[in-house]
Amino acid sequence: MSESPLPGRPVYVLEAGFSKAINAEMPITNELGIELKSRLAGEVTLDMREGQSFEDWLTLQITPMPFLSGFANSRRFADAERVIDEIAAVLDQRVERASEVESPRWLRQLVALWDFERAVVLTFNYDTLLERAVNCSGTVTGARLNALQFLLGDHVVFPAPPATQAQFLGDTGAPHNAESMQVLKLHGSLAWYWAGADKNGSTLARVREKHVLGSLTPLTSDADFSGATKLDRYLIPPVTSKDGYYGSYLANTLWRSARAIVETASSLTLVGYSLPLEDRVASQLIAEVGPTITDGVVDQSPGSTEPREGVLGRLATLGLKAEVTVSGHQSLPDFVSNKIKEATEALPRSIAFDQIERQSADVVVAIAKKWGSPNPASLCVLVWDNAEKIFAAYPVDRSYMTGSSMPYRSSIHNSMPLGAREIEDFVTADRLRQIIAGGQPFVFRHPNSQELLVGIGAERIKIERWEFLQIKWAPAGA
């Protein structure tokens, strides 16, 4: 992890609307309150008045009332703590149900875009759906450092509590990855635990998220040998005044990191985030964005500035400029579709083409292998498949990547049956630029899944004596 945030990174702010767009099983705050009222009936009385929000009710429960006895206030607080504890149980079940369904294509595309942008994601969600989406995205990082890595959700969530020790071969104990996107979970996570009486965070620990969307079977065993899951969840509850929950070292680290990132953001986009002004800390954080930045809003119902309604109205109240990026029921898929289109059209103008010293350099893509492989990913060259009428990716043997005096495409060409391909069929930097000169997408086929992929960006990399143009990709199609 780098010691200071990279300047000029795009920032995205997520809340419950994002998780609900992934799967309708995921509740927004008031829906959570309704389920908790039912689950805890007979144990805790959630006597919410008509029109009262769950957040307001919970805030009043933890606030000492001067007209009540100390015993009555203590009992109200204990009831609130029981409700807060049950939030994790509800979300655990919802996450499991949501994980029975494969990741939507737009979500895998968004993960790929965020990886290429090296975006920063600030989220107020406790759930781990985003981490599970990263786990099944097939995204690979590290080509610039000649250290290919199968990207996992656990790699991109930081700052975070220390992880429990890896216990066996295949446990996902890899460190965080600063070469990709970064996720800051500002209100805690279902994967974070601590002792309830801990005030400064000395007992904080995390368990590594090993599940994926689309399967209830984890990537590897998720047995808890450390016993961390017997502790309480580290969640900052949905209350109006969260001041009393920001005392741990981790909360301070997360929010100070977030401020440094927001202050230098190249763009800031609110995704399914209502920006409630009652949450004063979050509102002030968003207000730290640079004066030249216009906030983007992706929301089903963004409201308006005149009259001041919804998230647009609240941004205006903070003195921030904002514009609706996408709205409507399909706001998130539409937003991602637009981003993919913009990325493919911008590919011919990538600075990487000018950074390449040899325009005859091989074009490569990084492709993940099956989870658990000793070599988690390969660099592939791209060659025209005349039968399929599309470019296909061919993995380069890892042993070849060290000490060879032959270009990658020549090695692959020599390994093919005589006449199967011509050396001119392989994609080089100058040929790629010709193919996409008009802004048309560059599409090729995944060598393992056979899925169609589309180029969304490029960067120059160098491995030993060889220079390459690496294409960053996302799943193609809507």
Side-chain angles (χ1 to χ4, degrees):
M1 187 178 115
S2 58
E3 294 183 358
S4 59
L6 296 171
R9 299 172 74 179
V11 175
Y12 299 83
V13 186
L14 315 181
E15 203 190 33
F18 179 81
S19 294
K20 198 163 188 69
I22 295 175
N23 194 291
E25 286 283 348
M26 302 308 297
I28 58 176
T29 305
N30 282 341
E31 292 172 350
L32 185 60
I34 292 171
E35 178 159 349
L36 289 166
K37 182 176 182 178
S38 174
R39 289 172 67 105
L40 298 175
E43 183 179 353
V44 176
T45 302
L46 275 76
D47 51 350
M48 289 178 285
R49 300 185 301 273
E50 184 177 352
Q52 185 181 26
S53 69
F54 172 58
E55 182 174 336
D56 182 59
W57 179 88
L58 193 57
T59 300
L60 291 173
Q61 286 295 117
I62 66 170
T63 303
M65 298 295 163
F67 53 82
L68 294 178
S69 66
F71 170 80
N73 278 320
S74 296
R75 183 166 58 188
R76 285 163 55 87
F77 187 82
D79 285 347
E81 288 287 289
R82 177 67 185 93
V83 170
I84 292 169
D85 181 69
E86 193 67 16
I87 288 174
V90 172
L91 292 179
D92 281 339
Q93 292 180 359
R94 295 299 186 98
V95 167
E96 290 308 300
R97 293 209 292 265
S99 296
E100 294 175 1
V101 182
E102 290 188 356
S103 173
R105 183 185 298 271
W106 66 260
L107 182 56
R108 292 193 294 127
Q109 291 174 328
L110 187 57
V111 169
L113 285 163
W114 282 344
D115 168 64
F116 172 62
E117 292 179 340
R118 299 182 74 185
V120 179
V121 178
L122 309 180
T123 177
F124 301 105
N125 296 333
Y126 310 131
D127 67 71
T128 57
L129 290 184
L130 179 53
E131 291 94 308
R132 293 184 180 203
V134 174
N135 285 349
C136 64
S137 69
T139 302
V140 177
T141 64
R144 291 193 304 118
L145 305 176
N146 193 17
L148 296 178
Q149 182 182 50
F150 185 117
L151 192 70
L152 296 172
D154 195 58
H155 299 155
V156 301
V157 179
F158 60 91
T164 55
Q165 185 175 356
Q167 297 288 334
F168 43 81
L169 184 65
D171 199 358
T172 52
H176 298 306
N177 188 307
E179 295 298 308
S180 180
M181 58 190 281
Q182 179 183 359
V183 179
L184 281 76
K185 306 195 76 167
L186 297 173
H187 282 171
S189 173
L190 291 177
W192 298 354
Y193 295 82
W194 68 339
D198 183 5
K199 297 304 179 186
N200 60 17
S202 61
T203 61
L204 274 163
R206 82 176 190 274
V207 294
R208 292 180 283 276
E209 179 53 81
K210 303 171 186 176
H211 290 76
V212 299
L213 295 181
S215 174
L216 296 182
T217 302
L219 294 170
T220 185
S221 172
D222 57 355
D224 175 27
F225 295 108
S226 69
T229 56
K230 301 299 187 291
L231 300 175
D232 298 326
R233 302 299 176 92
Y234 179 74
L235 307 178
I236 295 177
V239 292
T240 302
S241 179
K242 299 178 175 67
D243 306 21
Y245 296 92
Y246 289 137
S248 73
Y249 83 87
L250 181 60
N252 279 270
T253 300
L254 281 165
W255 285 86
R256 293 182 187 187
S257 298
R259 181 190 178 189
I261 289 166
V262 168
E263 284 180 327
T264 59
S266 61
S267 63
L268 192 143
T269 307
L270 308 185
V271 183
Y273 178 41
S274 60
L275 189 65
L277 293 182
E278 296 84 3
D279 194 343
R280 297 165 297 172
V281 176
S283 295
Q284 288 305 306
L285 173 66
I286 301 302
E288 294 290 326
V289 71
T292 61
I293 299 298
T294 298
D295 294 344
V297 174
V298 179
D299 200 281
Q300 288 191 27
S301 302
S304 62
T305 55
E306 293 296 338
R308 291 189 175 181
E309 298 174 341
V311 63
L312 285 180
R314 289 186 276 276
L315 285 167
T317 300
L318 291 172
L320 299 176
K321 298 176 292 183
E323 60 184 30
V324 178
T325 306
V326 185
S327 62
H329 183 65
Q330 291 292 310
S331 57
L332 250 171
D334 289 347
F335 170 70
V336 176
S337 177
N338 292 343
K339 291 275 291 182
I340 290 288
K341 185 174 184 292
E342 291 171 3
T344 58
E345 291 177 349
L347 183 58
R349 302 188 298 275
S350 172
I351 192 174
F353 286 104
D354 299 321
Q355 293 173 333
I356 285 283
E357 296 173 5
R358 296 181 306 107
Q359 291 302 310
S360 61
D362 284 331
V363 172
V364 295
V365 293
I367 300 291
K369 297 181 181 178
K370 184 179 179 181
W371 164 254
S373 169
N375 300 317
S378 293
L379 283 181
C380 301
V381 293
L382 297 164
V383 60
W384 178 252
D385 188 325
N386 197 49
E388 293 284 337
K389 301 300 180 185
I390 196 170
F391 289 97
Y394 282 80
V396 177
D397 188 277
R398 192 174 182 87
S399 63
Y400 169 77
M401 294 168 64
T402 303
S404 175
S405 60
M406 188 184 301
Y408 280 19
R409 63 182 181 276
S410 298
S411 173
I412 294 294
H413 182 246
N414 291 343
S415 69
M416 291 178 171
L418 187 65
R421 298 285 189 280
E422 300 297 329
I423 195 68
E424 292 79 14
D425 291 336
F426 289 79
V427 182
T428 57
D430 54 354
R431 185 181 181 193
L432 175 64
R433 203 166 198 175
Q434 294 170 14
I435 293 170
I436 62 177
Q440 61 269 35
F442 178 68
V443 180
F444 57 97
R445 195 177 298 281
H446 194 292
N448 303 325
S449 69
Q450 302 304 303
E451 180 180 30
L452 292 182
L453 308 176
V454 62
I456 58 171
E459 60 183 3
R460 175 187 180 271
I461 63 174
K462 194 168 184 180
I463 300 176
E464 295 189 341
R465 64 186 291 253
W466 295 111
E467 179 187 45
F468 303 96
L469 187 73
Q470 184 196 9
I471 295 295
K472 303 291 281 188
W473 54 265

